[in-house]
């Protein structure tokens, strides 16, 4: 067991692991084990890669994924939905349980099948589990990138929120959302000073934007990437043999890393292996770097520039009842009770 962090510090971890690809239950079990490993190292926060549970849809790019009415693509998509995360069904209960037991926050990339959108579409959702084991937010990716749009639906702003963790304020975004200036600004405006960037894998994604976002936000940035190799394709996946022939030996080489609020590396990108990247960070460094730049504070100009964020959860249907209708319902109910 590691020592308890000093006041104003936090131990953060990026768990760079390969999923048991397209197998929700076994991948969740692996996530639980790595959460415990991070807690054993004294971590108060552990972050995982984008879409880790049950995995990123690597097949689309390499198997003619845009072919309309392809039986292969339909079979793979159906399997993907079957293995996606249903939060209402308790698919992440074991993650919440270990977070509560070990008192550690978890940022976990998932593919979600939300019932409030009918339950038959996939959303790339970044789930934040608080140290008390409660799911504090679910951020559905605003805009899937390139071939992801053949599999994932577009999200909303409901999860563009931050969470207090000790002296830090934590926010998180999925993959190329980290390149979206207004998405970053929506988190800066809430006092974010510890940013989680969740990626499916590959250091070519993390090596530039991680340092840039850290320097712009004068925040710590923890970039958590997954791994994915041809050998990680299990026999349980439909057309597994076809996929092994079509996909390259390595699809995601990792790239997990940590940058400080000055934009310099604390841990440069780690590639080619499963790893738990752990470091202790100090909140005072944020205060030091914001002496010369604070995007939402002394360097902000809200009289000139403002951002409007719609954080309503988009649902398949909404019921709106006018005040007059409500009063009429009440009168009718009272009249019936008198009879």
């Amino acid at each position: 067991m590691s020592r308890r962090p000093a006041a104003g510090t936090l131990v953060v971890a990026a768990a760079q692991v390969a999923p048991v690809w397209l197998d929700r239950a076994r991948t969740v079990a692996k996530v639980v084990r790595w959460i415990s490993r991070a807690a054993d190292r004294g971590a108060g926060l552990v972050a995982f890669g984008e879409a880790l549970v049950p995995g990123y849809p690597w097949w689309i790019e390499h198997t003619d994924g845009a072919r309309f009415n392809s039986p292969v693509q339909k079979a793979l998509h159906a399997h993907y939905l079957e293995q996606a995360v249903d939060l209402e069904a308790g698919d992440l209960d074991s993650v919440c349980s270990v977070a509560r037991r070990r008192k550690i926050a978890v940022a976990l990339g998932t593919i979600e099948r939300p019932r409030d959108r009918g339950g038959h579409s996939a959303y790339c959702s970044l789930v934040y589990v608080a140290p008390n084991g409660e799911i504090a937010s679910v951020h559905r990716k605003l805009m899937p990138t390139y071939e992801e749009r053949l599999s994932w639906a577009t999200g909303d702003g409901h999860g563009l929120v931050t969470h207090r963790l000790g002296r830090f304020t934590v926010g998180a975004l999925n993959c190329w959302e980290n390149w979206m200036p207004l998405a970053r600004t929506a988190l800066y405006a809430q006092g974010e000073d510890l940013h989680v960037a969740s990626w499916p894998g590959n250091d070519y994604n993390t090596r530039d934007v991680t340092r840039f976002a850290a320097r712009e936000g004068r925040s710590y940035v923890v970039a958590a990437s997954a791994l994915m190799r041809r050998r990680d394709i299990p026999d349980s996946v439909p057309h597994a043999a076809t996929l092994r022939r079509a996909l390259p030996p390595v699809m995601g080489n990792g790239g997990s890393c940590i940058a400080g609020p000055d934009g310099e590396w604390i841990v440069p990108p780690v590639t080619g292996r499963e790893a738990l990247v752990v470091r202790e960070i100090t909140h005072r460094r944020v205060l030091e770097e914001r002496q010369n730049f604070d995007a939402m504070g002394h360097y902000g100009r809200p009289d000139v520039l403002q951002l409007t964020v719609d954080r309503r959860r988009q649902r398949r249907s909404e019921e709106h009842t006018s005040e007059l209708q409500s009063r009429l319902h009440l009168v009718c109910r009272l009249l019936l009770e008198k009879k």
Side-chain angles (χ1 to χ4, degrees):
M1 296 292 290
S2 299
R3 64 177 176 81
R4 182 182 297 275
T9 67
L10 178 70
V11 177
V12 296
Q16 180 166 289
V17 299
V20 182
W21 197 52
L22 306 193
D23 188 321
R24 180 188 61 247
R26 293 171 66 194
T27 302
V28 167
K30 186 171 184 177
V31 166
V32 168
R33 292 195 298 271
W34 281 76
I35 293 171
S36 291
R37 291 183 187 180
D40 287 344
R41 298 279 298 275
L45 168 71
V46 58
F48 292 85
E50 181 191 41
L52 184 70
V53 183
Y56 187 83
W58 296 104
W59 71 85
I60 297 174
E61 178 183 358
H62 301 282
T63 60
D64 198 12
R67 181 171 295 280
F68 191 69
N69 269 338
S70 161
V72 171
Q73 298 303 320
K74 286 187 174 184
L76 286 165
H77 186 73
H79 181 75
Y80 202 36
L81 289 179
E82 288 172 346
Q83 295 300 316
V85 170
D86 181 346
L87 293 173
E88 292 88 346
D91 286 345
L92 295 187
D93 282 357
S94 59
V95 172
C96 295
S97 177
V98 72
R100 179 174 60 253
R101 189 169 65 254
R102 302 305 301 272
K103 297 181 173 56
I104 183 173
V106 180
L108 177 61
T110 70
I111 296 304
E112 182 196 10
R113 280 181 63 184
R115 297 184 186 184
D116 60 10
R117 292 304 300 270
H120 298 102
S121 288
Y123 293 78
C124 178
S125 297
L126 190 50
V127 178
Y128 182 86
V129 181
N132 65 1
E134 297 293 328
I135 294 178
S137 66
V138 179
H139 173 52
R140 296 174 187 163
K141 191 173 185 178
L142 296 170
M143 179 53 65
T145 302
Y146 281 42
E147 68 273 8
E148 294 171 357
R149 299 176 196 179
L150 296 170
S151 179
W152 302 345
T154 54
D156 55 38
H158 184 72
L160 287 174
V161 295
T162 58
H163 307 280
R164 291 290 294 177
L165 188 62
R167 292 189 186 175
F168 288 91
T169 301
V170 183
L173 293 173
N174 293 290
C175 200
W176 273 23
E177 288 182 323
N178 292 286
W179 283 114
M180 295 173 66
L182 298 185
R184 295 196 308 271
T185 301
L187 300 179
Y188 296 160
Q190 299 172 72
E192 182 193 57
D193 48 32
L194 172 54
H195 181 74
V196 173
S198 182
W199 300 90
N202 288 311
D203 60 322
Y204 65 74
N205 280 317
T206 62
R207 64 184 172 225
D208 294 324
V209 69
T210 302
R211 292 183 61 197
F212 169 77
R215 188 162 180 81
E216 178 187 66
R218 295 305 199 265
S219 301
Y220 289 96
V221 176
V222 177
S225 286
L227 285 177
M228 184 62 193
R229 300 147 299 193
R230 183 188 291 156
R231 68 174 186 264
D232 296 316
I233 302 173
D235 292 335
S236 57
V237 175
H239 304 286
T242 300
L243 294 180
R244 292 190 186 106
R245 289 192 297 269
L247 271 61
V250 178
M251 288 144 275
N253 72 350
S256 298
C257 49
I258 303 174
D262 57 356
E264 297 300 321
W265 288 125
I266 295 175
V267 181
V270 176
T271 61
R273 59 187 175 89
E274 291 193 322
L276 188 65
V277 179
V278 182
R279 287 296 185 276
E280 183 174 282
I281 61 175
T282 305
H283 191 264
R284 185 179 179 85
R285 287 291 295 119
V286 173
L287 304 181
E288 291 173 350
E289 292 305 318
R290 294 198 182 186
Q291 184 266 338
N292 56 19
F293 184 76
D294 182 359
M296 295 292 104
H298 63 78
Y299 226 87
R301 284 295 305 276
D303 56 323
V304 179
L305 302 168
Q306 293 188 0
L307 172 67
T308 300
V309 181
D310 185 350
R311 291 194 177 86
R312 290 175 295 179
R313 176 61 88 202
Q314 294 178 4
R315 305 182 188 281
R316 58 186 172 183
S317 65
E318 296 285 353
E319 294 184 5
H320 297 284
T321 304
S322 68
E323 184 179 355
L324 177 60
Q325 285 177 311
S326 297
R327 290 180 179 179
L328 287 173
H329 284 295
L330 177 61
V331 170
C332 292
R333 181 169 62 81
L334 292 172
L335 289 173
L336 289 171
E337 288 176 354
K338 286 183 178 181
K339 291 183 179 180

